[in-house]
Amino acid sequence: MSLNGSLRVSAVALIAALAASDASAQTKLPTITVGHVHAVTHSHGGKTHTHTLYHTHVIPAPRAADRVVVPVVVADANDGFDSSAQQNTALGPRIDYPAPPKEMPSSSERFFTGGQVNTIPSFRPGEALEVVPGLAVTQHSGEGKANQYYLRGFDLDHGTDLALYLDAMPLNMRTHGHGQGYSDANFVIPEMLAYVDARKGPYNVEDGDFSNAGTIRMQYLRKVPQGVFSTTGGAFGYGRVFGMKSWEFAGGDIFGGGEMSTYDGPWIVPNQARKINGVLRWSTGEENNGASITGMAYANRWNSTDQVPLRAFDLGFSRWGSLNASDGGDTTRFSLSGRWAQETARYRTKVEAFAMHSTLNLFNDFTYFLANPVLGDQFRQFDRRTMIGGNAYHTLKFNLLDDKESELKFGFQSRYDDIRIGLQDSVQRLPYDTIRNDHVGEGSIALLTDFKTRWTPWLKTIVGARWDYYWGSNQGLQAYWDSPLIPAFGQPGFDPTNPFRLWTGPANSGASSAQLLSPKASVILNPFDDKTDFYLNFGRGFHSNDFRATTQRFAANEIGDDLGYVRVPKNGLLSPSTGAEVGVKTRAIDKLESAATLFFIQTAQENIFEGDSGNTVIARGANRIGVELSNHYRPLSWLAFEGDVTATHARFRGFDRDQAALFTDLLQPGAFEWGAWQSNAPGNYLVNATPIVATGVLELGEATGWFANFKYRYIAPRALTQDGFLKSPAIGTVNGRLGYRWKEGWKLQLDVFNMFNSRSMQIAYGYGSMLPTDPLFQACIGAISAPTTDAVCSTGQMGVVGHPIEKPSWRLTFGGPLDFNPATTKGLDLTEPFQLVKFWE
């Protein structure tokens, strides 16, 4: 049977089961259609209430007999949320979620409740963010390392140019041991999310560092009406236990949750990922008039099977094998945050503060035997940091010119990172020298303001700006006897007892500062009717660069032909970008909600992954122009479709002189024959920029009873080198979920990942490496007689290096109410899912 035929048969069978499992005789409430403004009227307590909601998704309407209206205020009034709550049974027991914002300033912004996030199966926590249209989240190195992100033609590496926040705490790490903007979302617990607010582009004044492509703000729940417990087991040693519950305490509510998980994966060297994670919050009042204190604790350790050159697979190397069995890492994260908010008819005020301490050890080997033909190229990256900061916002509400509804906002943001950071060469996780060892202190403050005015019922404008000031210092702690050993074999006067060492730490110390002014502007138009809105947006964004690059004078891992230090240019601390977009949202077609956005982004500099060092380097600027299309269609209360596609054209500006010089060296006799010039020509392809990301989702089911969904994700082939010679394979995967929810709050579900056994790569790069089986390796070490040059031996064997998608796997989850009182615990009828109901009666 063909793939399409199998999908049609599966869909028909699921629809028939859904129709048979629920009695159609029960009255259903109207579907709540999201993505536009409309009024919802209901009766409660003998009175009729009307709420005006602005929704961004579609929520299945529960059966009237099951619906319970609980007017719990859990929205952030500072962002204009409605005070009504939405309920969802994605976790089994009903959860109260905040209503979406009444208005959004751009066509590309989307708001998702935690229930919507948890409707679609995700293989790892970070993939839950793929609910955001156009965002692709993947992984290439173990289950504790930060994810790889793709959005709007950006290879975001581990977070650069995509700002992530959880409960107002920034997740992106400045001046990080592995890469600038490193953003680890593995500690996020998707079931505890109240909402995800995704803003594309740098158009909001609250969005500063790392917001070039967009900003995603996640918020945890304040409390739950009923506790939730679940346990999961699955293929390749997967196991997880999760629970969360609320209690009343000291005039407020305590909300706690946690998880423990294990996972080995299909790899020959098991991941042995072991994670423990917990959250505890006390809150009083409401989100817009109350206070909260939240503590989080997280620890994880793992082995990792890193990317492998595809040429190794051609020689019979296993797709699940590792070229260095000792790669892996460990991490911890502890945080304490607080929030206070107050709202009146005349103003809104919000104050946030946070403190966080984290540790990270990473052992990776990306180039194998390129730099060190004897010991190999494994290296250790470490990061120890304490981060403190806070935000304060005050908004005045008034009428301009007597009848123009207006808001004037003032804000302050601050952050300071105290960082111990370093890079060492290692063998079997044992460091034997230190390339970098630094103590960095980096701080920033930002002042921001914006002015919102509704000039007419169909015209609203937002104008604002933010001023950022960054400062810091770097003290090199590298000791002479720990610096890399560079014996000058063959050089006149070589003394084996006194080898040359590359000691650059003291010379690369220093201090620097920078400031940037970023204007923002948005126009929202509704000239025709309440079904279609038009948007114009403009803004300046930026990302900060690794602070060490602003004080560095000499290369830390390179020597000149004369065995002298190699000077490198200093880089600026802040790298700006300019973004603009025009878009439209419409629901002109009944039950179909669509959005289209045309966007442009120009960056002053790009941060590019460099395989032979495991870090990112600063490259010249680039231009991106693209279009996003998203559609959500719910023809029936139990049937919905989602289709999103983002297409981007991304290219470097200018000419790369360093790449041209390397290309010239690779054209010389002795180097030309090895063919590395074919993938090292200067060009303008933006490395690993995704030209197309597309997602399709099918959802089936009501609030209780049988449910199912399928998700297809596609990432088009990408240029892996500037000249476009090396390209990645396309990525296409299908994940599915089938389950049953009892009205008592219990749930049984089966998730299947990579259902059709895609053999593509989760991640791919194009760079040079060395394997002992490479003829070039044999030539460079003199094992065979073949002409070579220093340029080709230092470049390595060029080719595509990738990390395969995991084999098809399954996970079975059973969960329900977490209730410690046996008198109130409700049982369930295990035969209920198999009882046939005559739907025609």
Side-chain angles (χ1 to χ4, degrees), residues 186-215:
N186 287 295
F187 75 96
V188 176
I189 303 178
E191 293 93 336
M192 298 186 70
L193 288 173
Y195 65 81
V196 172
D197 185 6
R199 303 167 177 171
K200 310 286 183 61
Y203 314 126
N204 194 298
V205 292
E206 287 97 340
D207 302 333
D209 202 358
F210 305 113
S211 65
N212 289 334
T215 301

Side-chain angles (χ1 to χ4, degrees), residues 565-823:
Y565 288 4
V566 177
R567 284 189 171 272
V568 296
K570 293 182 179 181
N571 286 282
L573 184 52
L574 303 180
S575 176
S577 72
T578 301
E581 67 181 50
V582 56
V584 59
K585 284 182 181 178
T586 182
R587 55 183 180 88
I589 300 176
D590 186 36
K591 300 179 181 180
L592 173 66
E593 298 162 14
S594 301
T597 305
L598 177 68
F599 64 87
F600 173 78
I601 305 171
Q602 183 181 78
T603 59
Q605 294 175 329
E606 294 284 326
N607 284 357
I608 303 299
F609 177 82
E610 186 181 69
D612 59 0
S613 69
N615 280 304
T616 53
V617 297
I618 298 175
R620 64 195 192 278
N623 293 338
R624 294 170 175 83
I625 186 170
V627 61
E628 292 179 343
L629 302 173
S630 64
N631 297 276
H632 189 96
Y633 181 52
R634 183 173 289 274
L636 301 169
S637 65
W638 50 267
L639 176 64
F641 303 91
E642 178 89 26
D644 308 308
V645 61
T646 300
T648 311
H649 181 270
R651 292 292 186 271
F652 280 117
R653 298 189 310 275
F655 184 74
D656 191 338
R657 298 183 183 277
D658 292 337
Q659 193 67 30
L662 174 62
F663 179 67
T664 301
D665 290 341
L666 296 176
L667 288 175
Q668 304 303 315
F672 178 84
E673 296 83 354
W674 297 102
W677 55 272
Q678 290 180 312
S679 47
N680 277 296
N684 290 91
Y685 282 97
L686 200 58
V687 176
N688 238 323
T690 54
I692 297 177
V693 174
T695 303
V697 176
L698 168 65
E699 297 182 39
L700 302 164
E702 300 280 9
T704 59
W706 286 100
F707 64 93
N709 58 64
F710 299 92
K711 173 187 174 183
Y712 173 71
R713 185 192 67 177
Y714 172 78
I715 303 175
R718 314 173 296 286
L720 300 179
T721 52
Q722 290 185 24
D723 60 0
F725 181 78
L726 295 179
K727 290 184 171 61
S728 71
I731 303 174
T733 56
V734 177
N735 298 335
R737 170 175 288 175
L738 175 65
Y740 188 86
R741 284 188 288 258
W742 283 262
K743 61 179 177 294
E744 292 84 3
W746 298 94
K747 178 185 69 170
L748 179 67
Q749 74 182 26
L750 175 67
D751 294 338
V752 181
F753 300 95
N754 191 17
M755 294 176 61
F756 300 108
N757 194 21
S758 169
R759 293 177 62 81
S760 186
M761 296 288 133
Q762 283 197 58
I763 194 71
Y765 301 102
Y767 58 80
S769 60
M770 286 288 201
L771 300 176
T773 54
D774 292 333
L776 179 60
F777 177 84
Q778 300 294 324
C780 289
I781 65 173
I784 62 174
S785 178
T788 62
T789 67
D790 290 341
V792 72
C793 287
S794 61
T795 299
Q797 180 68 54
M798 293 295 297
V800 176
V801 182
H803 184 71
I805 295 174
E806 283 93 339
K807 300 175 183 178
S809 62
W810 57 270
R811 295 174 185 174
L812 185 66
T813 299
F814 179 74
L818 181 62
D819 193 342
F820 300 122
N821 186 355

Side-chain angles (χ1 to χ4, degrees), residues 342-360:
Q342 186 177 71
E343 180 181 19
T344 70
R346 298 173 54 189
Y347 67 85
R348 291 192 301 264
T349 302
K350 180 170 63 175
V351 179
E352 301 162 328
F354 52 85
M356 188 276 301
H357 179 74
S358 65
T359 67
L360 175 69

Side-chain angles (χ1 to χ4, degrees), residues 267-290:
W267 318 105
I268 292 176
V269 178
N271 273 341
Q272 293 185 333
R274 304 292 183 263
K275 177 170 71 172
I276 184 169
N277 196 8
V279 179
L280 188 65
R281 165 175 288 172
W282 177 84
S283 63
T284 182
E286 301 172 349
E287 193 75 11
N288 58 333
N289 274 296

Side-chain angles (χ1 to χ4, degrees), residues 69-152:
V69 178
V70 182
V72 179
V73 178
V74 291
D76 184 348
N78 190 57
D79 290 330
F81 292 171
D82 192 88
S83 61
S84 62
Q86 302 178 48
Q87 293 196 336
N88 188 289
T89 60
L91 304 182
R94 293 186 179 277
I95 304 295
D96 301 323
Y97 291 110
K102 294 178 180 179
E103 294 180 340
M104 295 185 182
S106 70
S107 59
S108 58
E109 181 173 355
R110 296 287 297 271
F111 178 95
F112 303 92
T113 67
Q116 293 165 342
V117 173
N118 286 281
T119 296
I120 308 301
S122 55
F123 190 81
R124 48 184 59 90
E127 289 184 10
L129 296 179
E130 287 190 341
V131 69
V132 178
L135 176 63
V137 183
T138 186
Q139 181 59 279
H140 77 108
S141 182
E143 295 305 316
K145 190 176 179 181
N147 297 109
Q148 299 279 136
Y149 304 92
Y150 296 107
L151 180 67
R152 286 194 165 185

